[in-house]
Amino acid sequence: MIMSPFNIETCARPNILALEPYRCARDDYKDDGTNILLDANENACGPPLTASAVSVASTGSGAEIDFLGLHRYPDPHQRDLKQLLCNLRNIHVHTEKSITPDNLFVGVGSDEAIDALLRCFCVPGKDRILVCPPTYGMYSVSAQVNDVGLVKVPLLPAPEFGLDVAKIKEALSTEKNVKMAYFCSPGNPTGSVLAKEDIKQVLEHPTWNGVVVVDEAYMDFAPEGSSLAEWVAEWPNLVVMQTLSKAFGMAGIRLGAAFTSLPIARLLNSLKAPYNVSSPTSALATYVLSDEGLAAMQRNKERLVRQRNRLLEELPKIRGVGRLRGGVESNFLLFEMLNAEGEPDNRTALAVYETLAENRGVVVRFRGKEHGCVGCLRITVGTEDEVTRFLEAIEQVLAEVNGGKTETPADEAKKEAEANGVVA
Ligand SMILES: *Cc1c(COP(=O)(O)O)cnc(C)c1O
């Protein structure tokens, strides 16, 4: 055999070689059926489905997956599904106008929309996006995959975590080649809804030729009327992303949507792979957006809001739990962990994170390395039983951690590396 001169180090793109494989808390702490998974902001109540709704022989009221029709390609346009998404968002709070399926892109989770927008607007190696830390990790991962740089303008300090409009406007005036700004509302990991007036000021920037993207992954946990999806009917340069992964409890089917102006929607739909949304995904999404599915989603959401309120009441009573950072408009909460001196502390937060997972089977997310989040854990709201177990566990673990046990800097560095997965 003659050796090929192939060398992956010089053949692959440098920005791709520099990527780290995706890591999440679940690589360390598996879903073995006994752990309580409060790390990825999934819907603890499960999907808004019943056994009868998904039975193969469903009679017209359930999710009708045509398994025997799977030799056919799915519908590349998904207009019926898009119409259901429009019906949900045409609330006429932010505009008199209505959005239609022509305002929509649907894809494999919001992740596909995040990437499609980058490919649509940013020239690799030249253009950049603006992000506001602390924020969702996928914007920077997707930017790196596309060889697109970042301009960072941190959010205002906790607990508001609002947009720093003056600094954002200044950056958009002075920094070169910034094509998009990715905002997250409610924010991950902040849980705060961004002020509409702040977003408006960026949309109205007098010299910036770019697109404002608002990621509303958690919007259905926020007060009704907060979604700006229909507002895209008023702006040529606004994109609002949503997903069925969170309030709808359908992370497994991978369905995300981007609402935007007709010209941008046309570009996104032209560049996507034609059959990006599978027929089973489409059928299940259609069901959860039906009256029956929406009612079940609302019931699950109310259950989670009750548990969110319970955590807000009970957590501050626990010794070693510090302040709530950020808002309460999502299905997770960001709380400080305090050391024995009563200060927010990453070493304590890491020890709590690790001990909770290893000794108590409760997996949360360490966020202490994110901008403005020192000592913070992000805790997904669970079911009533899960919250009960979590509250007992964290009280005991904090007492143990602050009761003496110290670690070497090397241990600490190792734990930090382990806990610093990129996304979710
Ligand atoms: C979870 C999450 C998403 C969802 O991504 P999908 O690809 O739709 O599952 C999007 N944005 C943020 C900020 C999230 O936290």
Side-chain angles (χ1 to χ4, degrees), residues 40-41 108-112 114 136 139 184 188 215 217-218 242-246 251 254-256 424:
N41 299 342
V108 184
S110 319
D111 288 351
E112 184 178 353
I114 292 168
Y136 186 44
Y139 313 140
C184 195
N188 175 4
D215 182 347
Y218 299 96
Q242 295 188 345
T243 177
L244 296 189
S245 296
K246 305 288 161 54
R254 313 302 304 126
L255 196 285

Short mmCIF file of all heavy atoms in Angstrom, two decimals, residues 40-41 108-112 114 136 139 184 188 215 217-218 242-246 251 254-256 424, ligand 1:
data_model
loop_
_atom_site.label_atom_id
_atom_site.label_comp_id
_atom_site.label_asym_id
_atom_site.label_seq_id
_atom_site.Cartn_x
_atom_site.Cartn_y
_atom_site.Cartn_z
N ALA A 40 -30.09 20.45 31.77
CA ALA A 40 -30.19 20.87 30.35
C ALA A 40 -31.50 21.59 30.04
O ALA A 40 -31.83 21.77 28.86
CB ALA A 40 -30.02 19.66 29.43
N ASN A 41 -32.22 22.01 31.06
CA ASN A 41 -33.45 22.81 30.87
C ASN A 41 -34.51 22.11 30.03
O ASN A 41 -35.32 22.76 29.38
CB ASN A 41 -33.12 24.17 30.26
CG ASN A 41 -32.21 24.99 31.14
OD1 ASN A 41 -32.07 24.69 32.32
ND2 ASN A 41 -31.58 25.99 30.57
N VAL A 108 -33.97 21.74 12.04
CA VAL A 108 -33.57 20.75 13.04
C VAL A 108 -33.16 21.48 14.33
O VAL A 108 -31.99 21.75 14.56
CB VAL A 108 -32.41 19.88 12.49
CG1 VAL A 108 -32.05 18.78 13.48
CG2 VAL A 108 -32.80 19.28 11.15
N GLY A 109 -34.16 21.84 15.11
CA GLY A 109 -33.93 22.62 16.33
C GLY A 109 -33.57 24.05 15.98
O GLY A 109 -33.36 24.40 14.81
N SER A 110 -33.48 24.90 17.03
CA SER A 110 -32.99 26.27 16.79
C SER A 110 -31.55 26.21 16.33
O SER A 110 -31.06 27.14 15.70
CB SER A 110 -33.01 27.11 18.07
OG SER A 110 -34.16 26.90 18.79
N ASP A 111 -30.86 25.14 16.70
CA ASP A 111 -29.46 25.02 16.30
C ASP A 111 -29.30 25.19 14.79
O ASP A 111 -28.35 25.81 14.33
CB ASP A 111 -28.90 23.66 16.74
CG ASP A 111 -28.70 23.56 18.25
OD1 ASP A 111 -28.82 24.60 18.93
OD2 ASP A 111 -28.41 22.46 18.74
N GLU A 112 -30.23 24.63 14.01
CA GLU A 112 -30.11 24.78 12.56
C GLU A 112 -30.32 26.23 12.14
O GLU A 112 -29.64 26.74 11.25
CB GLU A 112 -31.08 23.86 11.79
CG GLU A 112 -30.86 23.99 10.28
CD GLU A 112 -31.72 23.08 9.40
OE1 GLU A 112 -32.45 22.22 9.92
OE2 GLU A 112 -31.65 23.26 8.17
N ILE A 114 -29.70 28.92 13.96
CA ILE A 114 -28.51 29.69 14.37
C ILE A 114 -27.43 29.58 13.29
O ILE A 114 -26.82 30.57 12.88
CB ILE A 114 -27.98 29.16 15.73
CG1 ILE A 114 -28.97 29.48 16.85
CG2 ILE A 114 -26.60 29.73 16.04
CD1 ILE A 114 -28.68 28.74 18.16
N TYR A 136 -26.06 31.92 25.59
CA TYR A 136 -26.09 30.54 25.09
C TYR A 136 -24.81 30.22 24.33
O TYR A 136 -24.40 30.99 23.46
CB TYR A 136 -27.31 30.40 24.19
CG TYR A 136 -27.63 29.03 23.67
CD1 TYR A 136 -27.59 27.91 24.48
CD2 TYR A 136 -28.03 28.87 22.35
CE1 TYR A 136 -27.93 26.66 23.98
CE2 TYR A 136 -28.37 27.62 21.84
CZ TYR A 136 -28.32 26.52 22.67
OH TYR A 136 -28.67 25.29 22.17
N TYR A 139 -24.10 30.03 20.04
CA TYR A 139 -23.83 31.11 19.08
C TYR A 139 -22.35 31.15 18.74
O TYR A 139 -21.97 31.29 17.58
CB TYR A 139 -24.28 32.49 19.62
CG TYR A 139 -25.65 32.52 20.23
CD1 TYR A 139 -25.90 33.26 21.40
CD2 TYR A 139 -26.71 31.82 19.66
CE1 TYR A 139 -27.15 33.29 21.98
CE2 TYR A 139 -27.97 31.84 20.24
CZ TYR A 139 -28.17 32.57 21.41
OH TYR A 139 -29.41 32.58 22.00
N CYS A 184 -30.64 36.74 23.60
CA CYS A 184 -31.38 35.60 24.13
C CYS A 184 -32.40 36.13 25.13
O CYS A 184 -32.03 36.77 26.11
CB CYS A 184 -30.40 34.64 24.79
SG CYS A 184 -31.07 33.02 25.10
N ASN A 188 -30.46 32.56 28.56
CA ASN A 188 -29.84 31.38 29.13
C ASN A 188 -28.37 31.76 29.34
O ASN A 188 -27.71 32.06 28.36
CB ASN A 188 -29.96 30.20 28.17
CG ASN A 188 -29.23 28.96 28.65
OD1 ASN A 188 -28.68 28.95 29.74
ND2 ASN A 188 -29.22 27.93 27.83
N ASP A 215 -33.42 35.06 20.38
CA ASP A 215 -33.65 33.64 20.65
C ASP A 215 -34.65 33.52 21.80
O ASP A 215 -34.33 33.84 22.94
CB ASP A 215 -32.30 33.00 21.02
CG ASP A 215 -32.40 31.49 21.26
OD1 ASP A 215 -33.53 30.97 21.40
OD2 ASP A 215 -31.34 30.85 21.33
N ALA A 217 -36.11 30.73 23.06
CA ALA A 217 -36.27 29.31 23.37
C ALA A 217 -37.16 29.06 24.60
O ALA A 217 -37.87 28.07 24.66
CB ALA A 217 -34.89 28.67 23.58
N TYR A 218 -37.11 29.99 25.58
CA TYR A 218 -37.84 29.78 26.84
C TYR A 218 -39.09 30.66 26.95
O TYR A 218 -39.67 30.79 28.02
CB TYR A 218 -36.91 30.06 28.03
CG TYR A 218 -35.73 29.12 28.03
CD1 TYR A 218 -34.52 29.52 27.47
CD2 TYR A 218 -35.85 27.84 28.53
CE1 TYR A 218 -33.44 28.64 27.42
CE2 TYR A 218 -34.77 26.96 28.48
CZ TYR A 218 -33.58 27.36 27.93
OH TYR A 218 -32.53 26.49 27.88
N GLN A 242 -37.54 30.27 17.78
CA GLN A 242 -38.24 29.50 18.82
C GLN A 242 -37.97 28.02 18.61
O GLN A 242 -37.39 27.62 17.60
CB GLN A 242 -39.74 29.79 18.77
CG GLN A 242 -40.01 31.25 19.14
CD GLN A 242 -41.48 31.55 19.29
OE1 GLN A 242 -42.32 30.76 18.87
NE2 GLN A 242 -41.78 32.69 19.88
N THR A 243 -38.41 27.22 19.57
CA THR A 243 -38.11 25.78 19.53
C THR A 243 -39.22 25.01 20.24
O THR A 243 -39.90 25.56 21.11
CB THR A 243 -36.76 25.51 20.23
OG1 THR A 243 -36.52 24.11 20.24
CG2 THR A 243 -36.75 26.02 21.67
N LEU A 244 -39.38 23.75 19.88
CA LEU A 244 -40.30 22.89 20.63
C LEU A 244 -39.56 22.13 21.73
O LEU A 244 -40.12 21.27 22.40
CB LEU A 244 -41.00 21.91 19.69
CG LEU A 244 -41.92 22.52 18.63
CD1 LEU A 244 -42.72 21.42 17.91
CD2 LEU A 244 -42.90 23.54 19.22
N SER A 245 -38.26 22.47 21.95
CA SER A 245 -37.44 21.68 22.87
C SER A 245 -37.70 21.96 24.35
O SER A 245 -37.36 21.14 25.19
CB SER A 245 -35.95 21.92 22.61
OG SER A 245 -35.59 21.48 21.33
N LYS A 246 -38.28 23.12 24.70
CA LYS A 246 -38.32 23.49 26.10
C LYS A 246 -39.76 23.44 26.65
O LYS A 246 -40.15 22.41 27.17
CB LYS A 246 -37.68 24.86 26.29
CG LYS A 246 -36.23 24.92 25.74
CD LYS A 246 -35.26 24.14 26.59
CE LYS A 246 -33.95 23.75 25.92
NZ LYS A 246 -33.17 24.82 25.33
N ALA A 251 -37.73 18.05 22.95
CA ALA A 251 -36.33 18.18 22.53
C ALA A 251 -35.89 17.03 21.63
O ALA A 251 -35.05 17.20 20.75
CB ALA A 251 -35.42 18.25 23.77
N ARG A 254 -36.33 17.47 17.60
CA ARG A 254 -35.51 18.48 16.94
C ARG A 254 -36.33 19.34 15.98
O ARG A 254 -36.27 19.20 14.76
CB ARG A 254 -34.33 17.83 16.15
CG ARG A 254 -33.54 16.78 16.89
CD ARG A 254 -32.92 17.30 18.17
NE ARG A 254 -32.08 18.45 17.95
CZ ARG A 254 -32.23 19.62 18.62
NH1 ARG A 254 -33.16 19.75 19.54
NH2 ARG A 254 -31.45 20.61 18.36
N LEU A 255 -37.13 20.24 16.53
CA LEU A 255 -37.88 21.16 15.68
C LEU A 255 -37.72 22.58 16.21
O LEU A 255 -38.09 22.89 17.34
CB LEU A 255 -39.37 20.76 15.63
CG LEU A 255 -40.28 21.34 14.52
CD1 LEU A 255 -40.67 22.80 14.74
CD2 LEU A 255 -39.68 21.19 13.12
N GLY A 256 -37.12 23.42 15.39
CA GLY A 256 -36.96 24.83 15.73
C GLY A 256 -37.50 25.68 14.60
O GLY A 256 -37.71 25.21 13.48
N ALA A 424 -25.83 24.26 25.95
CA ALA A 424 -27.02 24.05 26.79
C ALA A 424 -26.78 24.61 28.16
O ALA A 424 -27.16 24.21 29.16
CB ALA A 424 -27.44 22.58 26.82
C1 LIG B 1 -32.14 24.94 24.70
C2 LIG B 1 -31.93 26.18 23.90
C3 LIG B 1 -32.22 26.21 22.54
C4 LIG B 1 -32.86 25.03 21.88
O1 LIG B 1 -32.14 24.52 20.87
P1 LIG B 1 -32.81 23.39 19.99
O2 LIG B 1 -31.77 23.18 18.93
O3 LIG B 1 -34.07 23.96 19.43
O4 LIG B 1 -33.07 22.22 20.85
C5 LIG B 1 -32.03 27.38 21.85
N1 LIG B 1 -31.56 28.48 22.47
C6 LIG B 1 -31.29 28.49 23.77
C7 LIG B 1 -30.82 29.73 24.41
C8 LIG B 1 -31.44 27.33 24.53
O5 LIG B 1 -31.13 27.34 25.83
#
